[in-house]
Amino acid sequence: MMPNAGNRVPQGLADDRLGLWQALLQQFGLQRWSQYVRQHWSGQRLVVAVPWLWLFLFFVVPFLIVFKISFSEIRLAMPPYAPLFEWLEEGKRLVTTLNLGNYAFILSDNLYISTFAYSLKVAAVSTLLCLLIGYPMAYAIARSAPTARSLFLMLIILPFWTSFLLRVYAWVGLLKTDGVINNTLLAVGLIDTPLTLLYTDFAVYIGIVYSYLPFMILPLYANLEKHDLTLLEAAADLGARPFKAFLRITLPLSVPGIVAGCLLVFIPAVGEFVIPSLLGRADQLMIGRILSDEFFANRDWPVASAVAIVMLLALLLPIMLFQRYQRRELEAAKR
Amino acid sequence: MAEKIIDRSNEYIRIEGVTKRFGEFVAVDNVSLNVYKGEIFCLLGGSGCGKTTLLRMLAGFEAPTSGRILIDGQDMADIPPYERPVNMMFQSYALFPHMTVAANVAFGLEQEGLTRAEIDRRVGEMLDIVKLGDFGRRKPHQLSGGQRQRVALARALVKRPKLLLLDEPLGALDRKLREHTQFELINLQEQLGVTFVVVTHDQEEAMTLASRIGVMNKGQIVQVGTPTEIYEFPSSRFVADFIGSVNMFDGQLVEDEPGHVRIRCPELEATVYVSHGISAAPDAKVSVAIRPEKIEMTRTAPEGSENRARGVVKEIAYMGDMSVYLVRLDSGRIVRVTIPNIERHDERIVWEETVYLNWHPSSPVVLSQ
Amino acid sequence: MKTRGWFRNGALAFGLAFLYIPILSMIVFSFNNSRLVTVWDAANSPTLAWYRKLFANGQILDAALLSLQIAAVTATGAVILGTLAGLALVRFGPFRGRAMLATMTTAPLVMPEVITGLSLLLLFVALEQLTGWPAGRGIATITIAHITFAMAYVTVVVQSRLAGFDDSLEEAALDLGAKPAKVFFRITLPLIAPALVSGWLLAFTLSWDDVVISQFVSGPNSTTLPMVIFSKARLGVSPDINALATIMVLIVATGVVLSTIWMKRQERRRLLEEQMARSDAG
């Protein structure tokens, strides 16, 4: 660690004659600041301050605004919401219009509840499918010869670098009624009439699994690759058959990778917008679409904000889990 | 080994009541210490004893929570690492992986604003000293462990610091190379006249390198002395136990004269007679420490009624140059005895033999409990 | 172990096929000369007709140029901010606001895009009311939004690279007399350079690809390429988009393949040199 002036505690503050004054200065950070300057570390402050302030202004403040607007009433104006606090009669009366109406509206309307439920279901099913497809793939790559390993990894990462939007779009061409899959099946003679594949739940699952599969495979691979293979030899030596050894040794040890992969798929999938828009049903929207429609089509900013807040609350636990995982990974990388 | 002569008039580092806290944890606890010009001072202790933190405070990477550090009479409190007349050799060597060996060694000189020609000359000289003259253009990953260690040393020494800090300098080397490098380090230090402060957890390393050793435990310096002083006259049970191995007996002072003391230990039948005085209250509880190599083992009973014991050999470990015997006394206490294997075909004492142990009155060290 | 080999390899082959068939089909149909876009017209194909049509499409070209500019600025800004944040988080030890910074740099990684887009738009509207800036939405607001979520990714990349390095490297440089700023430019920056390159490319790709956030914070004259593609794709398949996709896939694939080969080479050379150094004696 670099020398950190913040660790230094000024000695003998209490018995100093100017103790109170110094304590006050320290309270407002001036004491520390002068120490920083004295130690030629003022640059360190700047390094922290720039990204900190940027993220605070463009990430935290926006949420506070969303939070605030979610309690406002819609109004025909620009911006289309009523302020929470307003001075009426030339500043004589402060009017607060804090209302929970938007939340009451969302929670009482079946449309919103079913949309939320549908979004969670789609995300959960897709995450599970991702895991079922991704785990064996990650496992196969982690246990393949080192030379083949980097080739496979490259093949997994490559789609990740190409346009997400275009890759989703590719499925439109495959799943259409006169698309490649139907044409192939018809030509082979497996079916007589084209199947309805596009604009179904199935298409949404495919789209999400397809788009997010690398996010599942990479943390799983990172975990599986680190496993000590002598553990399996020890298990075999103690009489466990390969499948049993997998269940008792490999699977439990890979839980952190499974959790990370699932979170990386589940959280963004809940709010997914592009995939259901291109591949999904028209009669059952997902929550991201509802939010967008409330905002753009209905111009109801307060309800859109309330939808965002509810979605965020629903995702709070997984997001915190993910943050904990991320922190642990970085700590592990450090040692 | 022969003791080096230390010029105690020439104080170089003065550490005054230095404490370092990390939150609740006290890493260094009120340490005061002097290091003299031209000596090799070893800070010896187990992991987490605070020795590395103390070294890092000398280098300027940590600031003391309280207390003062003076180097060459100057208070170091506000001096950042890059302005201190001190260089450090890191445990990991910390060679810059993106620079060649020569560029690594030149880095410090470049910061001094010397001319290119002067830098090249001094880098060349230094690399020759550490016998790496032909390796200047290699990158660190193209070197073996021993070579890397020498580059790290050259990089720190080329700045001609008055004080060199070494953090476990031999820790990453294998055993053979280690012994060789130890003597090289000593030679280099004598040749350049630099003061060394070495941190190590390896007592053998400290014994060979050091002119003086400071033994640390739980953030405190528990004893400072020459290697002989530390080994022969440990000042506490911790030091006696930590350096080498020792047989420790608890007992009570029964006779306390200026020239000798007698101690009765419940685990020993005979009293212990020690031929030097100690300062302790009468009837004080004390410990007697006797090194395993200072105990003589015989088949026949020794003369005299003191400084002796009888027991049965329970374990023998043949170590090549010597053998370790574990003898169970009649009291049930196990005593460790080492005997050099001087002759090849000796009638050696074997398992389950009854033996007598005795030691010279000057051998035991009396420690207060 | 052997008995499961076929299952493992089968799963891998299936997965890779799943990942690549859609891309390959897009490439194939970009050369198809048929009005029925998903039926191969063997008589008149392959053809470059769709590529010609693509390069004659002013709307797409303008949007591509705009996206390119935004992505380049985004990547540069995100690398600068992300490097500072990563440096602070890994190297500065405890400081006030550290936990907050750590949270603010990981949350955008998983934040649903609609929420990020909505909240940023509301911020821009509020800012405009308060300060008059930004006047309407456009390139500037898109870039700010992109930098904000892309820098989170860069921070992670820089953090893991920095964490992999011994911090005594920087201490050694300080010890040898280099001032902190110099240590950063001579030691830290060269060491994390590979992470900065991949961070820049990652941020570029994220920005180049983003449609949801852009839709929220864009203005009338700032339609990015993904927004054009998205609106076209909503209307169904269009062969010139296939052609566009093919070009993009080829560029990316070439880049990824070349860089993988290059890194592999470097690694192999390094291993060889290390081996030689070991046998070279101490």
Side-chain angles (χ1 to χ4, degrees):
Chain A
M1 256 173 274
M2 287 200 180
N4 182 9
N7 283 340
R8 292 192 78 199
V9 180
Q11 282 304 298
L13 259 190
D15 45 82
D16 199 305
R17 264 182 300 150
L18 296 168
L20 181 69
W21 179 234
Q22 282 204 352
L24 270 174
L25 276 176
Q26 191 195 16
Q27 191 63 40
F28 292 103
L30 290 172
Q31 178 78 23
R32 278 161 181 261
W33 182 76
S34 69
Q35 269 180 6
Y36 270 64
V37 173
R38 205 151 27 96
Q39 296 217 339
H40 306 261
W41 277 101
S42 53
Q44 185 168 331
R45 265 263 155 125
L46 199 68
V47 168
V48 174
V50 173
W52 203 99
L53 290 175
W54 178 285
L55 283 170
F56 189 76
L57 178 60
F58 294 117
F59 188 72
V60 178
V61 172
F63 279 116
L64 300 179
I65 295 175
V66 171
F67 192 65
K68 193 197 99 179
I69 293 176
S70 72
F71 292 108
S72 292
E73 270 170 8
I74 187 167
R75 178 193 266 190
L76 282 175
M78 182 63 207
Y81 58 88
L84 289 186
F85 305 100
E86 213 169 6
W87 291 97
L88 290 183
E89 296 161 31
E90 284 119 35
K92 284 186 197 141
R93 204 155 59 88
L94 179 71
V95 181
T96 54
T97 38
L98 178 87
N99 73 332
L100 298 167
N102 302 315
Y103 291 97
F105 173 62
I106 293 172
L107 297 175
S108 61
D109 191 326
N110 252 339
L111 169 73
Y112 292 99
I113 294 177
S114 72
T115 309
F116 264 112
Y118 177 70
S119 300
L120 291 173
K121 186 192 96 181
V122 167
V125 172
S126 313
T127 305
L128 192 67
L129 289 172
C130 259
L131 181 63
L132 291 178
I133 299 172
Y135 197 103
M137 287 177 77
Y139 188 86
I141 297 172
R143 298 287 174 271
S144 62
T147 44
R149 214 178 283 174
S150 55
L151 173 74
F152 287 136
L153 270 184
M154 187 193 79
L155 287 173
I156 300 295
I157 294 169
L158 204 147
F160 174 82
W161 287 97
T162 63
S163 172
F164 158 76
L165 184 59
L166 286 174
R167 282 183 294 128
V168 175
Y169 157 80
W171 280 99
V172 179
L174 289 175
L175 296 173
K176 272 168 53 147
T177 313
D178 59 348
V180 175
I181 292 178
N182 271 323
N183 287 347
T184 312
L185 293 178
L186 284 170
V188 175
L190 272 172
I191 51 172
D192 299 325
T193 51
L195 304 167
T196 311
L197 297 169
L198 194 57
Y199 310 126
T200 60
D201 288 350
F202 171 74
V204 174
Y205 293 144
I206 287 230
I208 294 179
V209 171
Y210 177 68
S211 304
Y212 289 97
L213 193 57
F215 291 98
M216 177 65 82
I217 294 177
L218 291 178
L220 272 173
Y221 166 79
N223 173 291
L224 287 166
E225 189 244 1
K226 279 182 291 194
H227 284 198
D228 179 359
L229 291 183
T230 54
L231 293 180
L232 291 180
E233 289 172 359
D237 183 63
L238 295 168
R241 291 182 177 281
F243 186 65
K244 187 120 195 184
F246 172 81
L247 283 184
R248 295 284 306 271
I249 313 286
T250 308
L251 199 57
L253 283 175
S254 60
V255 166
I258 295 176
V259 171
C262 287
L263 291 173
L264 274 173
V265 176
F266 180 79
I267 301 169
V270 171
E272 186 51 55
F273 177 80
V274 171
I275 295 169
S277 296
L278 293 182
L279 308 176
R281 284 153 61 182
D283 60 333
Q284 176 66 72
L285 301 180
M286 278 178 73
I287 196 68
R289 178 69 183 278
I290 289 280
L291 189 155
S292 165
D293 283 355
E294 283 297 350
F295 191 85
F296 287 112
N298 298 346
R299 292 188 61 76
D300 194 340
W301 292 17
V303 165
S305 298
V307 170
I309 295 294
V310 173
M311 176 163 30
L312 206 58
L313 285 177
L315 293 178
L316 206 59
L317 190 72
I319 288 176
M320 277 161 63
L321 265 176
F322 174 74
Q323 292 221 330
R324 215 180 62 166
Y325 166 83
Q326 191 77 13
R327 235 191 336 267
R328 269 215 303 249
E329 276 298 284
L330 281 165
E331 239 110 81
K334 234 177 161 173
R335 281 305 124 212
Chain B
M1 68 174 272
E3 295 287 313
K4 278 198 205 90
I5 295 130
I6 302 157
D7 179 5
R8 298 206 180 217
S9 64
N10 217 341
E11 176 187 289
Y12 192 62
I13 304 172
R14 171 189 289 222
I15 298 171
E16 286 177 358
V18 164
T19 296
K20 176 71 186 178
R21 284 196 193 89
F22 293 106
E24 292 286 291
F25 177 69
V26 184
V28 173
D29 189 1
N30 194 19
V31 165
S32 293
L33 197 65
N34 292 331
V35 176
Y36 304 101
K37 204 163 233 162
E39 73 168 327
I40 300 185
F41 189 92
C42 274
L43 286 167
L44 175 64
S47 61
C49 73
K51 56 189 195 299
T52 299
T53 308
L54 193 55
L55 195 77
R56 290 171 58 81
M57 286 195 280
L58 286 173
F61 298 129
E62 309 284 354
T65 311
S66 64
R68 288 205 306 167
I69 294 176
L70 291 98
I71 297 180
D72 214 2
Q74 195 191 1
D75 191 337
M76 287 286 124
D78 291 329
I79 315 280
Y82 45 91
E83 284 170 11
R84 295 193 180 200
V86 172
N87 286 112
M88 179 153 167
M89 198 184 120
F90 289 81
Q91 182 174 12
S92 62
Y93 307 147
L95 299 180
F96 308 132
H98 58 302
M99 296 184 192
T100 62
V101 167
N104 262 283
V105 178
F107 187 88
L109 297 177
E110 282 163 16
Q111 313 309 321
E112 292 176 8
L114 301 177
T115 63
R116 196 69 242 174
E118 173 72 3
I119 292 174
D120 289 344
R121 192 181 61 74
R122 277 174 64 178
V123 168
E125 254 175 40
M126 198 66 228
L127 286 179
D128 284 339
I129 291 179
V130 297
K131 302 188 193 84
L132 286 173
D134 300 332
F135 291 80
R137 299 179 69 175
R138 291 216 188 168
K139 289 273 187 78
H141 72 267
Q142 293 166 305
L143 301 177
S144 70
Q147 290 165 341
R148 279 182 218 182
Q149 193 256 6
R150 271 150 42 208
V151 175
L153 196 62
R155 190 177 69 177
L157 283 173
V158 78
K159 291 199 55 143
R160 298 180 184 155
K162 299 211 186 78
L163 172 62
L164 184 68
L165 308 172
L166 301 100
D167 190 0
E168 305 274 1
L170 310 172
L173 304 180
D174 59 48
R175 211 187 145 80
K176 268 261 166 69
L177 197 55
R178 215 169 168 146
E179 203 163 280
H180 177 71
T181 314
Q182 272 175 7
F183 292 111
E184 268 191 358
L185 262 184
I186 295 172
N187 284 338
L188 210 58
Q189 192 264 345
E190 280 170 354
Q191 194 183 329
L192 301 172
V194 187
T195 308
F196 277 19
V197 174
V198 182
V199 151
T200 180
H201 69 278
D202 181 337
Q203 38 157 313
E204 219 173 289
E205 194 173 305
M207 290 282 179
T208 342
L209 283 177
S211 53
R212 286 193 306 147
I213 294 174
V215 183
M216 287 190 76
N217 183 34
K218 292 180 184 161
Q220 292 175 324
I221 295 264
V222 287
Q223 189 176 1
V224 178
T226 61
T228 319
E229 283 166 359
I230 299 272
Y231 189 79
E232 300 291 348
F233 307 103
S235 65
S236 62
R237 289 182 63 129
F238 174 80
V239 175
D241 229 9
F242 186 74
I243 316 277
S245 48
V246 75
N247 296 298
M248 197 89 70
F249 302 96
D250 293 339
Q252 204 166 19
L253 212 53
V254 291
E255 190 180 330
D256 187 2
E257 296 294 325
H260 71 266
V261 291
R262 281 200 170 78
I263 296 156
R264 170 161 294 291
C265 302
E267 289 168 331
L268 294 172
E269 262 174 66
T271 48
V272 177
Y273 176 84
V274 184
S275 65
H276 50 81
I278 59 158
S279 53
D283 296 329
K285 292 219 178 292
V286 292
S287 296
V288 178
I290 309 171
R291 297 275 181 205
E293 74 277 9
K294 297 207 160 46
I295 299 174
E296 194 188 5
M297 188 165 67
T298 52
R299 287 199 175 89
T300 53
E303 286 171 30
S305 59
E306 291 182 311
N307 286 351
R308 52 175 282 178
R310 196 184 66 167
V312 178
V313 174
K314 288 319 243 183
E315 295 282 356
I316 305 170
Y318 177 72
M319 315 277 280
D321 53 349
M322 58 168 196
S323 293
V324 179
Y325 291 79
L326 296 186
V327 178
R328 190 166 73 204
L329 304 186
D330 296 342
S331 62
R333 168 66 194 258
I334 303 282
V335 174
R336 187 184 170 98
V337 182
T338 51
I339 307 289
N341 293 321
I342 296 165
E343 286 170 54
R344 254 204 280 189
H345 306 288
D346 202 1
E347 272 199 40
R348 293 205 183 110
I349 290 167
V350 296
W351 286 52
E352 300 296 339
E353 248 189 279
T354 299
V355 291
Y356 296 90
L357 308 179
N358 73 92
W359 53 88
H360 192 265
S362 68
S363 296
V365 177
V366 184
L367 303 163
S368 52
Q369 281 187 354
Chain C
M1 298 281 281
K2 264 196 186 113
T3 47
R4 273 207 328 280
W6 65 266
F7 174 71
R8 259 161 39 189
N9 296 335
L12 188 57
F14 168 79
L16 288 174
F18 176 62
L19 283 178
Y20 282 91
I21 283 175
I23 298 177
L24 290 177
S25 98
M26 242 184 341
I27 293 175
V28 168
F29 281 95
S30 76
F31 298 104
N32 181 23
N33 190 9
S34 161
R35 271 181 300 128
L36 288 168
V37 281
T38 49
V39 182
W40 185 251
D41 179 358
N44 299 309
S45 305
T47 172
L48 290 175
W50 299 117
Y51 290 86
R52 274 193 293 274
K53 209 179 152 212
L54 177 72
F55 284 109
N57 187 333
Q59 191 205 7
I60 286 185
L61 290 182
D62 286 347
L65 194 65
L66 180 70
S67 282
L68 217 57
Q69 288 167 346
I70 291 175
V73 177
T74 294
T76 310
V79 162
I80 293 170
L81 289 169
T83 305
L84 295 180
L87 195 69
L89 288 172
V90 179
R91 285 294 196 250
F92 285 7
F95 57 84
R96 259 194 291 173
R98 187 185 189 283
M100 182 73 173
L101 186 63
T103 308
M104 289 192 299
T105 51
T106 44
L109 297 179
V110 284
M111 193 55 64
E113 288 168 308
V114 278
I115 297 184
T116 311
L118 173 75
S119 64
L120 275 165
L121 173 56
L122 294 178
L123 171 83
F124 291 137
V125 170
L127 269 182
E128 190 182 0
Q129 273 189 296
L130 280 173
T131 66
W133 182 91
R137 260 76 60 206
I139 299 169
T141 50
I142 297 177
T143 310
I144 289 174
H146 284 187
I147 288 177
T148 305
F149 78 88
M151 77 171 276
Y153 287 84
V154 178
T155 306
V156 171
V157 174
V158 170
Q159 256 179 303
S160 49
R161 174 86 185 177
L162 267 178
F165 273 106
D166 187 1
D167 32 5
S168 52
L169 287 174
E170 280 125 336
E171 287 181 348
L174 284 174
D175 185 67
L176 293 168
K179 294 202 169 69
K182 192 157 201 176
V183 174
F184 177 75
F185 287 107
R186 288 283 314 269
I187 308 297
T188 316
L189 208 55
L191 289 179
I192 60 172
L196 298 190
V197 172
S198 48
W200 194 91
L201 291 171
L202 185 61
F204 186 95
T205 311
L206 289 166
S207 167
W208 171 257
D209 211 20
D210 172 70
V211 55
V212 179
I213 295 173
S214 299
Q215 270 191 337
F216 276 93
V217 297
S218 68
N221 290 318
S222 55
T223 308
T224 63
L225 184 63
M227 288 163 71
V228 174
I229 297 173
F230 185 60
S231 57
K232 281 184 106 125
R234 275 180 118 162
L235 301 173
V237 184
S238 135
D240 48 348
I241 298 293
N242 283 341
L244 179 68
T246 305
I247 294 171
M248 279 164 59
V249 166
L250 285 183
I251 292 172
V252 169
T254 317
V256 171
V257 169
L258 284 181
S259 68
T260 306
I261 291 174
W262 185 76
M263 282 191 305
K264 201 76 210 158
R265 278 248 180 89
Q266 291 286 99
E267 199 187 306
R268 202 172 303 153
R269 211 185 68 190
R270 199 188 160 86
L271 276 176
L272 204 73
E273 284 174 351
E274 276 172 7
Q275 236 161 33
M276 274 163 59
R278 267 198 297 277
S279 60
D280 227 41

